[in-house]
């Protein structure tokens, strides 16, 4: 955060850490920063902090505001400059704004155990009567076409996303287990072959 270091020794306040918006400085205790010095006015100036930097705005003070010994009424501050309010001198240590964004910890996705249908095809963990047609390439979760999230891309193929971790999914190659034929099926195919029919696959 923007910070000014007070160089004048007889001042109790040693540093001013500016908050976003206007920071009023003067002798009056109602200011954001109180500087008890006879050359500082009751409301001497404002340091206005924004995402662009810091502006010094003089409030018609009696003894004036100065940057590098040049009188100013409204001016941008730069790091390393010397600011003087009356006879109180301070150093501009920084003018930047630090915006802290809290880190959000997302819970790890819970992957349910896979269930297979009667024909050996994987079932959707959320709809166990439906077959899984997609698998996540990151977490390995399987899901049916109703659970997968589809995102259309301009000029391209649709992108399928995992319902848990939101990463890319791919279609599952379906290789159902063929049911075994019983003795009756064998006899039926034999009869068809004898009379010119075609056996069932």
């Amino acid at each position: 955060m923007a910070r000014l270091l007070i160089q004048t020794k007889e001042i109790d306040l040693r540093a001013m850490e500016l908050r976003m918006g206007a920071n009023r400085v003067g002798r009056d205790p109602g200011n954001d920063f109180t500087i008890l010095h006879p050359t500082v006015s009751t409301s001497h100036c404002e340091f206005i902090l924004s995402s662009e930097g810091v502006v010094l705005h003089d409030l018609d003070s009696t003894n004036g505001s100065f940057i590098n010994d040049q009188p100013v009424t409204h001016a941008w501050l730069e790091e390393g400059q010397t600011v003087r309010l009356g006879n109180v001198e301070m150093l501009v240590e920084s003018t930047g704004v630090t915006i802290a964004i809290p880190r959000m910890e997302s819970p790890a996705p819970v992957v349910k155990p896979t269930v297979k249908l009667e024909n050996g095809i994987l079932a959707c963990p959320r709809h166990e009567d439906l077959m899984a047609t997609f698998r996540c390439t990151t977490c390995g979760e399987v899901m049916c076409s109703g659970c997968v999230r589809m995102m259309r891309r301009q000029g391209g193929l649709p992108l399928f996303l995992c319902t848990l971790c939101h990463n890319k999914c791919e279609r599952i190659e379906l290789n159902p287990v063929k049911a075994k034929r019983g003795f009756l099926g064998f006899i039926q195919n034999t009869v068809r072959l004898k009379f010119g029919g075609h056996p069932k696959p």
Side-chain angles (χ1 to χ4, degrees):
M1 194 63 77
R3 179 181 168 96
L4 288 85
L5 304 177
I6 297 177
Q7 308 291 301
T8 305
K9 293 183 179 179
E10 61 265 29
I11 304 299
D12 293 334
L13 183 66
R14 304 314 306 159
M16 294 192 303
E17 294 189 1
L18 306 182
R19 298 177 292 273
M20 289 294 288
N23 297 261
R24 185 163 289 202
V25 180
R27 285 201 323 272
D28 192 292
N31 291 299
D32 297 298
F33 297 98
T34 303
I35 298 180
L36 298 176
H37 194 276
T39 63
V40 175
S41 297
T42 304
S43 293
H44 196 101
C45 71
E46 287 178 333
F47 293 100
I48 304 170
L49 175 62
S50 69
S51 59
E52 303 291 324
V54 181
V55 170
L56 168 59
H57 177 63
D58 187 79
L59 299 173
D60 295 325
S61 62
T62 302
N63 295 307
S65 300
F66 301 82
I67 297 178
N68 291 344
D69 288 327
Q70 298 297 316
V72 296
T73 55
H74 194 87
W76 289 94
L77 298 184
E78 295 180 7
E79 294 181 8
Q81 288 180 330
T82 298
V83 173
R84 184 162 52 84
L85 309 180
N87 291 335
V88 176
E89 192 170 285
M90 55 191 73
L91 174 70
V92 180
E93 183 182 66
S94 62
T95 59
V97 179
T98 303
I99 301 175
I101 301 175
R103 184 177 178 180
M104 302 296 291
E105 295 290 343
S106 57
V110 178
V111 180
K112 293 183 179 180
T114 55
V115 178
K116 290 187 177 181
L117 300 174
E118 292 181 359
N119 56 4
I121 297 175
L122 290 175
C124 174
R126 286 155 298 278
H127 306 98
E128 295 184 358
D129 57 331
L130 298 178
M131 65 180 179
T133 52
F134 290 89
R135 185 189 303 274
C136 178
T137 57
T138 301
C139 71
E141 171 73 340
V142 295
M143 64 211 77
C144 65
S145 57
C147 290
V148 73
R149 303 289 181 256
M150 186 181 71
M151 184 176 73
R152 294 196 177 277
R153 293 178 289 186
Q154 186 175 1
L157 297 174
L159 180 65
F160 298 99
L161 303 177
C162 177
T163 189
L164 293 183
C165 68
H166 311 293
N167 287 298
K168 182 182 176 183
C169 290
E170 292 181 346
R171 289 187 182 275
I172 297 175
E173 293 293 333
L174 300 179
N175 294 309
V177 177
K178 293 183 179 180
K180 293 182 179 180
R181 289 182 296 173
F183 181 73
L184 181 60
F186 174 77
I187 294 297
Q188 289 176 342
N189 284 337
T190 303
V191 172
R192 286 193 181 91
L193 285 172
K194 186 175 180 180
F195 293 98
H198 298 284
K200 289 185 178 180

